[in-house]
Amino acid sequence: MLTEPMPADAVETARKRLAMAAEDLDANRIAALVRDLAADAGVAPVWERVCRPLLGGLRGHSPTEIAIEHALSEGVRIGLDGYRRDRGRPLPPDGVLLAGAEQEAHCLGLHALAAALREQGRGCLLLGPALPWAALAATVVRVRPHTVLVWSQTPLTGRAYRLVRFGRDFPRVRLFGAAPGWIEPFPPPSVRLTTFAAAVAACGAGGSP
């Protein structure tokens, strides 16, 4: 699913349908569209070619535009979270932990990443945005993941030294920093991921399926 292209006409149609639902402030319709699109084309193409460009094009210049942006974001999140979710399946003991960096509120890409992993038959623990570093450390001690991915959307939250320090505290954990907020270099073994495909591949490698 990661490499198969989504036809241009299908992308345009999908964007128009989602945009119309967002203008109607209909998050439930957006969620249903996202789930159907993902089932047809795969999570990665839908996220990268449909959802993310739409979200990036909303500027929020007026109260109405802000409401439309929130409706679109919420609908996309609900759709991604509901895609291929098996509520009865336990997480593997050496799985993947996804979290937003401390004070990072924009982590919709994490929901897309979690959906893409479920599409591959892999579970993950998604703790959402703005997780304090101390809480992330406590979670690692408790659930013992083999991979931790920390999402940072802006340089204000992409503090490389915090990621480096975290990696030193947990040397056996594969540690990744994803999204554009990580602009400062950080030394191995931590790895900066700059594309969605790279994040899916990194989190899908190793550990239990």
Side-chain angles (χ1 to χ4, degrees):
M1 292 292 187
L2 286 172
T3 58
E4 294 177 4
M6 191 174 178
D9 57 342
V11 170
E12 186 64 24
T13 299
R15 289 180 183 176
K16 287 180 179 179
R17 294 178 70 190
L18 283 175
M20 290 175 61
E23 289 175 3
D24 291 339
L25 305 181
D26 193 340
N28 288 332
R29 194 162 100 230
I30 294 168
L33 285 169
V34 169
R35 287 194 297 269
D36 289 345
L37 288 167
D40 290 340
V43 171
V46 172
W47 169 248
E48 298 230 83
R49 300 199 61 194
V50 179
C51 298
R52 193 172 70 174
L54 271 180
L55 290 161
L58 296 175
R59 302 303 178 189
H61 293 313
S62 70
T64 297
E65 290 177 354
I66 293 172
I68 290 172
E69 181 180 5
H70 278 246
L72 180 58
S73 298
E74 183 67 2
V76 169
R77 183 191 64 78
I78 294 171
L80 291 169
D81 284 351
Y83 179 68
R84 293 198 179 181
R85 182 177 290 277
D86 183 357
R87 300 184 186 278
R89 180 180 180 184
L91 289 171
D94 59 344
V96 176
L97 173 60
L98 308 176
E102 190 170 71
Q103 298 183 355
E104 179 54 71
H106 298 89
C107 291
L108 197 53
L110 280 180
H111 295 269
L113 178 55
L117 291 175
R118 289 196 302 273
E119 188 174 55
Q120 294 183 351
R122 293 184 174 275
C124 66
L125 175 58
L126 172 59
L127 294 184
L131 186 69
W133 287 101
L136 180 61
T139 304
V140 170
V141 171
R142 181 174 179 179
V143 303
R144 295 178 295 174
H146 72 74
T147 296
V148 171
L149 183 143
V150 183
W151 188 277
S152 169
Q153 196 69 27
T154 70
L156 293 177
T157 61
R159 306 294 176 85
Y161 76 93
R162 299 300 300 267
L163 197 67
V164 172
R165 184 183 301 170
F166 187 88
R168 290 172 180 167
D169 291 340
F170 299 96
R172 296 185 179 181
V173 174
R174 298 168 66 240
L175 182 61
F176 299 101
W182 305 105
I183 59 174
E184 299 175 7
F186 42 83
S190 303
V191 177
R192 180 169 54 186
L193 303 172
T194 58
T195 68
F196 185 76
V200 175
C203 291
S208 301

